[in-house]
Amino acid sequence: MKRYTCKCGSMHFKKDGEKIVCNNCGKDVSESEEYGFFSTSDSKVKKFFCKLGLDIGAEAAAVGASTLVTIIAPWSLPFTLTAMGVIVKNGSDALSDKITGSLFSEGSYGKKTADILRDELKNMLRKGKKDDSEYCSFARYHSYCSLHYSDVISYLLENDKNTDIYSDEAITAIISDKFGYPGRDDPAILENIRISAKELRSNFEDKILEDKSIGIRWLIEKNQRNHDKKLDRIIELLMSDKNDDIPDDETSEYIDNYSRPLFLEEGRNITLGKIYLEAMDKKSNQNAMEAINDWYRSNEKMLFVFGAAGIGKTSLVTKIISDVYGISGEENILGLTKEEIHPIILRDHVCEIAEKAKKDAYSALKIIQDIIDIPIANLKGHLIVLDGLDELYVLSKDFKCSEFIKKLQKDLNANNIKVLITLRPIKEIDDMKGLNRINLYWTKTQISEWCDNFSDLTTDTTEKKWCKSFKATYSEMIEKAPNDKRLEMFSLPIILYLACKSNTIISDNNSIGEFYDKVFRSIIERKHISMQKSNSVFDGVDHERLIKLINWQYTKELAYQMYLTDKLTLTNCDSKGKDRIEFAKNRTISELNRHGEDIPTDYKIDDDLYLAVSHFANKKGEEKGIEFVHKTVYEYFAAVKLYEDYFSMINKERFTDTESEKNLKEIWGNIIEAFRYKGIGNETAVFDYLNEMTRSAYNGTESEEAGFDFELFKNFYIQGMEQDILSKIGISEAAEEYNVENLTVNNQLVCAYRNLTWFLTGHGYKNQEQKNKCMINKDLIGDLGMDHRVNCSGWFLKYADLRNTCLIGSVFKSAELNHARLNCAILSDCSFDKADLTEAHLENVTLIATSLYLAKMKGVKLNNADLRGAFLKRAKLPDAILNDTWFDLANFREANLQNATIDNAVFNKVNFSNANLRGTKLEKNILKDAEYCLDPCYATIFPQGFEPQKHGMIEVDINGQPVKGSNTDDSE
């Protein structure tokens, strides 16, 4: 049944023959318009409208209750705002208290929706007070409609036009010769008002969907095409005590993302749902949903979805949830109900998971169940989605991913529950065997299809041309240069989108860092400079140039705050009570002044004008703050911060005198300031970007002397190390401390040097010029209190003294560490692949899960060391001393332990396939379940007369499977 409202205020009707009449006054309403006419004589409505008028601004306050506003009505179609127009009409008819109460009572759907629209309209009109053509045109249009509301509405009704004054139809009708709108002769005015009205609609809808109490009603109305069924469903939902259809916050976030316009689509309804394309699985060559469906129908309990940053892992999860909830309108091929799927955004639960995972006997499934808040018994047959395991790994340094996964596997074996996990590739998980996985990638066909889809959706001719040109260029590159690394870079949806929006040509970019630089500068300048038409705010300062500087620096500072605090969202008040957004604003001004600008220190950054980050980030309300559209983006801008503020000026143009003590202190001051706050390591892309930026190809300058000069930098580094500058320079106090952990000065110096090793290694530095001095020792890299990693791949570190250091996860690939002293060091999860550790001292060292592949370890001293789970495949250990050492689960496949001294060592479950143990004495060691092979190609070479089975060893074949009759539990 259709819904009407009578002018007497009643919404109750009855049939009278062929007519529909009001149940209250008996008036024929069969031909009534489906609009709401509210009389200002009604005190409650008048009071509400007056409040709106006062809140909107001076122009609206002048007309008070006559202000034309839009408010939700029970019969509305909110996704078009069409019937949302509540028209204030002079007259004596009064609305019933029932109608007034249902629309405007505190906490009601109508009141909440009205407040949201009021706030968004207020923001738009405030922008119109500034000298900007778009918003000024819109503000004047709104003021005109408010002052002439009766004429406006009468004209729209007489011409059968939409009475929502923010619709394209209404705007076009009003700004016409027929109506006589002032300024109708300027086509730009019509376009400006239409763009601003679309922005108002888009912002309004975004806010609606942030509140699940009204968002679910909005979504139901928006996605039900049949109006009568829609209304019945709304009433049924509102009258029901059940909340089964209301998704939890995390599910709502995915639903919002599916329906929300992409982050650069102001005023256009190009959403993830409309542009979504499914990635393929490299292994099966199926599309991702097919591969997931195959897994879901199998007996496997766990599936890992691996993919590079930006490939679409979270978009895939969003699609699955949108299918289940009926938002996408496509088949729910998994056949799940809304109650059977439970997505968890892992980054939102870092502290909770990490804290509970510290207990030795914790249950991984119980931790997950606590988050979902549903008894495990009730999760039978359900699907749990853990989105972003790599972010949990990065944001919690103590969290052991592999241990968590092993515990979860064990828990799932006893429960009929499916778990899907998305993550970027991380070594700890990549190295695990037997994982059921799919690896996402995009094919040439999908890239072509994306371009076609976006071209169909956009009305921008430049974007259409880019899509056509890119398809041709990409196809040509595949044919002529299939190994070109840029092909992989542009096979990511986020890169395609940014390239299209910025009109960036693929052939003009050699790397993703160079690409990002062009894209983001283009987007910021195009949008913000077009918005700034006012006079200069500083005498003698080029306003346009200043806008660019503040935009760029502010974005860097926001990203740097996220990077330092291990957050993906910045808020006005974090867990420590600090306003990180305001802090970023303050740092923006102080950093620009440090680089020679003259900006008043009390200058306030206006987010409406300067929030450059808004074009590739989302501001999600006061409680959520600012979040970059993708983690990769904030990592890039954190690297830009480091490069531009501390390294870009290090060149021959500025530092001509390499012997100057002043220059030496300045450069080392920059090194320390850039690197002292947080250990960077290899878990983020920050150093990848930074190292790329500091190479000459990135600098984009014709003058070789103007770009960053690594050779010059290296000379200052060596000179500073020879002068022991770190013990002399100290750390100058920053005006406002970036760091959140209040590290001691000594620990900050340690952190700075450890980060510096990553920077140097990224540029191929190996300390070869200074072989007489290893340039690294225990004083430089600190004691057990500092666990930041170092990267000394290929470094010459002969005789280095690294005793008692904590270097978990550090990299020493191909390093020369012969005779080095590593006694009592903690070196778990490190890489010493192909390193030279000849006669090194490793007594009492911890090498748990460390890789020593092809390492040279002749004569190494490993007494009382812990090598549980270490990877020693093809390691060279002749004449090594391994007394009292713990090797549980270590891999000695193809290793050489000839003539090694081994006494009282533990080799439980060690793999000795094809290992050379000739000349060693194994009798006094524990070898239970250690594996050996007798196949001619992989035979373990034992000392003469040694019988492995008597010592509890197990014979395996070349594939590692136990041979029948060996000392396995089955044979016994």
Side-chain angles (χ1 to χ4, degrees):
M1 165 174 102
K2 288 194 172 183
R3 307 271 167 174
Y4 300 96
T5 181
C6 183
K7 289 187 178 181
C8 75
S10 176
M11 281 175 44
H12 298 281
F13 309 99
K14 62 184 179 181
K15 268 199 148 187
D16 184 3
E18 297 299 317
K19 297 180 180 180
I20 298 175
V21 298
C22 174
N23 201 37
N24 182 44
C25 67
K27 183 179 178 181
D28 182 354
V29 294
S30 299
E31 303 301 323
S32 292
E33 303 89 350
E34 294 178 53
Y35 304 106
F37 293 89
F38 297 113
S39 169
T40 55
S41 63
D42 185 282
S43 60
K44 292 183 181 179
V45 180
K46 184 174 181 179
K47 182 178 180 181
F48 186 79
F49 284 153
C50 286
K51 179 180 183 295
L52 280 175
L54 292 171
D55 284 352
I56 285 173
E59 299 92 339
V63 297
S66 298
T67 302
L68 179 63
V69 296
T70 55
I71 257 189
I72 194 72
W75 57 89
S76 66
L77 299 173
F79 56 96
T80 62
L81 295 179
T82 298
M84 287 182 64
V86 174
I87 302 162
V88 182
K89 183 176 181 181
N90 290 329
S92 58
D93 294 331
L95 277 176
S96 69
D97 287 344
K98 184 173 183 180
I99 295 294
T100 307
S102 67
L103 283 176
F104 308 128
S105 62
E106 197 63 38
S108 69
Y109 179 43
K111 177 67 164 60
K112 287 183 178 179
T113 314
D115 286 346
I116 291 172
L117 181 62
R118 179 200 63 207
D119 291 343
E120 293 306 314
L121 186 56
K122 179 180 175 183
N123 290 335
M124 297 290 290
L125 296 176
R126 186 194 300 122
K127 291 179 182 178
K129 293 179 182 178
K130 300 180 172 68
D131 187 14
D132 175 85
S133 57
E134 289 182 22
Y135 295 114
C136 282
S137 297
F138 179 77
R140 283 192 288 270
Y141 171 79
H142 188 276
S143 179
Y144 183 87
C145 289
S146 298
L147 290 168
H148 304 282
Y149 68 90
S150 183
D151 291 338
V152 168
I153 297 306
S154 296
Y155 177 76
L156 293 174
L157 288 172
E158 287 167 5
N159 289 276
D160 196 25
K161 301 296 183 183
N162 191 339
T163 55
D164 166 19
I165 64 166
Y166 306 125
S167 67
D168 276 354
E169 184 183 33
I171 293 169
T172 304
I174 293 168
I175 304 177
S176 66
D177 291 335
K178 289 184 179 180
F179 187 73
Y181 184 85
R184 60 191 178 278
D185 296 331
D186 186 352
I189 289 180
L190 173 61
E191 186 62 20
N192 288 341
I193 294 170
R194 289 174 65 182
I195 290 172
S196 297
K198 286 179 180 178
E199 182 180 342
L200 173 64
R201 292 164 179 268
S202 177
N203 294 344
F204 172 70
E205 185 172 37
D206 287 347
K207 292 293 184 182
I208 287 285
L209 294 176
E210 283 182 7
D211 186 339
K212 73 176 182 181
S213 66
I214 58 176
I216 184 63
R217 178 169 176 168
W218 181 272
L219 287 170
I220 291 170
E221 290 185 306
K222 181 176 179 179
N223 288 281
Q224 291 282 356
R225 294 176 182 172
N226 185 297
H227 190 50
D228 294 339
K229 288 182 179 179
K230 169 178 65 68
L231 292 168
D232 291 341
R233 183 69 190 90
I234 293 170
I235 293 169
E236 178 187 336
L237 178 69
L238 295 177
M239 293 178 66
S240 172
D241 291 329
K242 296 181 180 180
N243 291 317
D244 294 343
D245 285 336
I246 300 179
D248 57 38
D249 290 342
E250 295 189 42
T251 303
S252 295
E253 190 163 334
Y254 288 103
I255 292 173
D256 291 351
N257 287 338
Y258 190 82
S259 305
R260 182 184 293 127
L262 299 180
F263 61 99
L264 294 176
E265 301 305 319
E266 291 185 18
R268 302 197 303 181
N269 194 27
I270 301 179
T271 64
L272 172 63
K274 290 181 178 180
I275 198 65
Y276 176 79
L277 270 181
E278 215 148 87
M280 302 290 288
D281 171 29
K282 285 184 180 180
K283 183 179 178 181
S284 65
N285 207 29
Q286 297 173 290
N287 71 46
M289 282 301 294
E290 288 175 353
I292 291 172
N293 189 40
D294 286 350
W295 160 75
Y296 188 73
R297 306 298 171 196
S298 73
N299 294 324
E300 296 286 342
K301 298 291 184 67
M302 193 182 300
L303 177 67
F304 288 82
V305 178
F306 287 89
I311 193 65
K313 298 182 293 296
T314 295
S315 296
L316 175 61
V317 175
T318 301
K319 177 63 164 57
I320 293 172
I321 292 168
S322 298
D323 287 352
V324 171
Y325 272 78
I327 304 301
S328 68
E330 298 182 14
E331 182 185 2
N332 172 18
I333 67 171
L334 298 181
L336 291 163
T337 66
K338 297 170 187 176
E339 296 79 17
E340 292 174 339
I341 186 166
H342 311 281
I344 297 176
I345 303 170
L346 289 175
R347 69 170 178 264
D348 291 344
H349 303 279
V350 172
C351 295
E352 178 183 355
I353 295 173
E355 189 62 32
K356 291 180 178 179
K358 288 180 180 179
K359 299 177 181 178
D360 292 336
Y362 75 87
S363 164
L365 184 57
K366 179 64 168 62
I367 292 176
I368 294 170
Q369 181 259 321
D370 288 344
I371 295 171
I372 298 172
D373 197 24
I374 296 174
I376 290 177
N378 294 351
L379 291 172
K380 183 178 179 180
H382 290 202
L383 172 64
I384 297 170
V385 181
L386 305 181
D387 193 14
L389 183 66
D390 56 291
E391 293 176 3
L392 182 59
Y393 171 78
V394 170
L395 298 178
S396 177
K397 304 302 181 187
D398 298 329
F399 181 73
K400 301 297 181 185
C401 277
S402 58
E403 182 179 315
F404 183 83
I405 294 304
K406 288 175 183 176
K407 286 181 177 287
L408 184 56
Q409 285 175 320
K410 185 178 179 181
D411 293 339
L412 292 178
N413 287 336
N415 294 277
N416 183 23
I417 301 170
K418 298 270 190 176
V419 175
L420 185 150
I421 301 171
T422 72
L423 70 163
R424 293 189 196 181
I426 55 177
K427 186 178 184 298
E428 188 176 339
I429 300 299
D430 279 346
D431 290 344
M432 292 182 68
K433 296 179 181 178
L435 297 182
N436 195 26
R437 66 180 75 198
I438 64 175
N439 293 282
L440 303 182
Y441 80 109
W442 269 32
T443 65
K444 173 189 170 183
T445 302
Q446 287 167 301
I447 291 168
S448 176
E449 188 178 345
W450 187 95
C451 291
D452 290 341
N453 287 352
F454 195 83
S455 181
D456 290 342
L457 287 170
T458 183
T459 57
D460 189 296
T461 55
T462 302
E463 292 172 358
K464 287 179 179 291
K465 287 179 181 178
W466 183 92
C467 290
K468 183 177 180 180
S469 174
F470 178 83
K471 279 178 61 178
T473 304
Y474 192 84
S475 297
E476 184 178 347
M477 287 179 67
I478 286 179
E479 292 177 9
K480 295 183 177 180
N483 296 321
D484 193 318
K485 291 183 178 179
R486 290 174 298 174
L487 291 172
E488 184 177 350
M489 176 177 79
F490 280 90
S491 65
L492 300 173
I494 191 171
I495 300 297
L496 279 177
Y497 178 62
L498 289 171
C500 179
K501 297 299 291 185
S502 60
N503 195 28
T504 302
I505 309 302
I506 183 173
S507 56
D508 293 345
N509 299 276
N510 295 311
S511 65
I512 194 168
E514 186 178 350
F515 165 78
Y516 272 162
D517 183 71
K518 290 181 180 178
V519 166
F520 292 134
R521 289 182 189 276
S522 168
I523 290 170
I524 287 175
E525 291 180 13
R526 181 178 62 186
K527 177 63 181 177
H528 280 282
I529 301 310
S530 68
M531 291 172 60
Q532 311 309 319
K533 304 295 182 184
S534 60
N535 295 327
S536 175
V537 291
F538 303 112
D539 292 335
V541 176
D542 180 347
H543 184 56
E544 185 172 301
R545 184 185 70 84
L546 187 65
I547 293 293
K548 291 181 182 180
L549 288 174
I550 294 177
N551 282 341
W552 194 250
Q553 189 69 35
Y554 184 32
T555 305
K556 293 189 299 185
E557 295 297 341
L558 288 167
Y560 195 53
Q561 282 295 300
M562 293 180 184
Y563 154 68
L564 289 179
T565 56
D566 283 330
K567 303 292 183 186
L568 296 175
T569 303
L570 279 190
T571 60
N572 294 112
C573 184
D574 65 10
S575 59
K576 297 177 186 267
K578 295 186 178 181
D579 186 338
R580 295 292 166 194
I581 296 175
E582 187 65 26
F583 186 83
K585 292 179 182 180
N586 295 335
R587 289 302 301 185
T588 296
I589 303 305
S590 61
E591 279 297 298
L592 288 174
N593 285 336
R594 184 171 73 88
H595 289 290
E597 300 300 325
D598 186 18
I599 305 173
T601 55
D602 60 349
Y603 176 75
K604 299 298 182 185
I605 294 177
D606 181 350
D607 282 352
D608 289 336
L609 291 178
Y610 293 103
L611 190 56
V613 72
S614 69
H615 302 293
F616 27 88
N618 302 311
K619 190 173 183 182
K620 296 187 172 181
E622 292 300 318
E623 76 284 353
K624 284 211 168 186
I626 297 173
E627 178 178 321
F628 278 83
V629 70
H630 201 278
K631 181 182 174 186
T632 286
V633 178
Y634 104 62
E635 291 173 340
Y636 167 74
F637 274 107
V640 174
K641 159 72 179 174
L642 294 174
Y643 170 66
E644 292 186 345
D645 291 353
Y646 303 115
F647 293 102
S648 62
M649 71 292 295
I650 301 176
N651 51 56
K652 294 185 179 70
E653 191 173 70
R654 178 168 179 177
F655 295 98
T656 54
D657 185 0
T658 57
E659 302 299 322
S660 165
E661 185 177 345
K662 178 177 176 292
N663 289 347
L664 181 67
K665 286 188 176 181
E666 181 177 348
I667 287 178
W668 270 91
N670 277 10
I671 292 171
I672 293 169
E673 189 62 28
F675 291 150
R676 66 174 167 143
Y677 298 110
K678 176 189 173 186
I680 299 175
N682 62 349
E683 67 271 15
T684 70
V686 173
F687 256 123
D688 291 337
Y689 291 136
L690 178 60
N691 283 331
E692 186 179 305
M693 292 171 193
T694 49
R695 296 188 180 103
S696 59
Y698 181 86
N699 292 320
T701 175
E702 295 180 4
S703 172
E704 292 184 3
E705 295 185 346
F708 174 82
D709 188 328
F710 179 72
E711 287 300 315
L712 179 75
F713 178 85
K714 184 175 71 173
N715 290 338
F716 277 112
Y717 162 74
I718 292 172
Q719 186 182 345
M721 294 302 295
E722 289 176 339
Q723 294 183 21
D724 198 18
I725 196 168
L726 280 173
S727 64
K728 300 173 184 176
I729 193 170
I731 295 182
S732 58
E733 292 296 326
E736 293 179 78
E737 184 65 62
Y738 272 114
N739 186 41
V740 295
E741 296 178 356
N742 298 317
L743 297 177
T744 64
V745 170
N746 182 62
N747 281 348
Q748 289 186 37
L749 290 173
V750 167
C751 183
Y753 186 77
R754 292 193 181 206
N755 282 332
L756 181 57
T757 65
W758 286 85
F759 183 75
L760 291 167
T761 300
H763 284 272
Y765 176 82
K766 299 183 186 302
N767 199 47
Q768 294 297 320
E769 301 92 333
Q770 307 301 118
K771 284 196 174 184
N772 60 325
K773 187 171 184 179
C774 75
M775 294 292 193
I776 187 170
N777 57 56
K778 63 180 181 180
D779 294 327
L780 278 174
I781 57 178
D783 57 21
L784 296 179
M786 292 294 294
D787 63 352
H788 300 311
R789 307 168 181 191
V790 300
N791 185 351
C792 295
S793 295
W795 281 38
F796 181 85
L797 302 172
K798 189 174 183 179
Y799 295 106
D801 185 354
L802 303 175
R803 291 174 294 171
N804 298 298
T805 54
C806 180
L807 297 168
I808 295 172
S810 294
V811 184
F812 293 94
K813 291 181 179 179
S814 302
E816 296 183 47
L817 284 154
N818 27 342
H819 301 281
R821 303 183 70 180
L822 293 157
N823 319 52
C824 302
I826 298 179
L827 302 169
S828 298
D829 199 31
C830 289
S831 174
F832 285 90
D833 294 350
K834 299 183 181 180
D836 187 350
L837 287 157
T838 303
E839 298 191 34
H841 290 268
L842 292 164
E843 295 95 339
N844 299 294
V845 73
T846 301
L847 290 162
I848 297 173
T850 287
S851 180
L852 292 142
Y853 174 71
L854 275 174
K856 298 176 183 177
M857 301 176 72
K858 180 179 174 64
V860 73
K861 298 172 180 61
L862 269 167
N863 299 31
N864 203 32
D866 188 346
L867 284 90
R868 283 175 291 170
F871 186 77
L872 294 118
K873 183 177 179 180
R874 299 180 66 184
K876 300 172 178 63
L877 292 125
D879 305 314
I881 301 173
L882 310 176
N883 297 333
D884 302 302
T885 302
W886 200 346
F887 291 104
D888 275 25
L889 298 169
N891 187 340
F892 279 96
R893 195 180 180 93
E894 301 177 62
N896 182 0
L897 291 104
Q898 190 170 358
N899 297 319
T901 302
I902 309 175
D903 190 14
N904 200 32
V906 179
F907 290 98
N908 289 333
K909 298 183 181 180
V910 163
N911 186 340
F912 281 118
S913 296
N914 207 20
N916 184 354
L917 299 165
R918 183 181 286 121
T920 60
K921 294 183 179 180
L922 297 174
E923 289 81 0
K924 295 183 179 180
N925 301 287
I926 300 173
L927 294 157
K928 180 173 174 52
D929 295 332
E931 298 174 356
Y932 68 98
C933 185
L934 295 181
D935 185 279
C937 296
Y938 291 91
T940 305
I941 302 174
F942 286 107
Q944 189 173 2
F946 181 80
E947 297 183 26
Q949 290 198 16
K950 287 186 176 181
H951 293 272
M953 296 180 72
I954 298 172
E955 182 185 351
V956 296
D957 60 21
I958 59 175
N959 297 313
Q961 297 300 314
V963 174
K964 188 176 181 180
S966 61
N967 286 344
T968 63
D969 292 339
D970 291 340
S971 65
E972 292 175 358

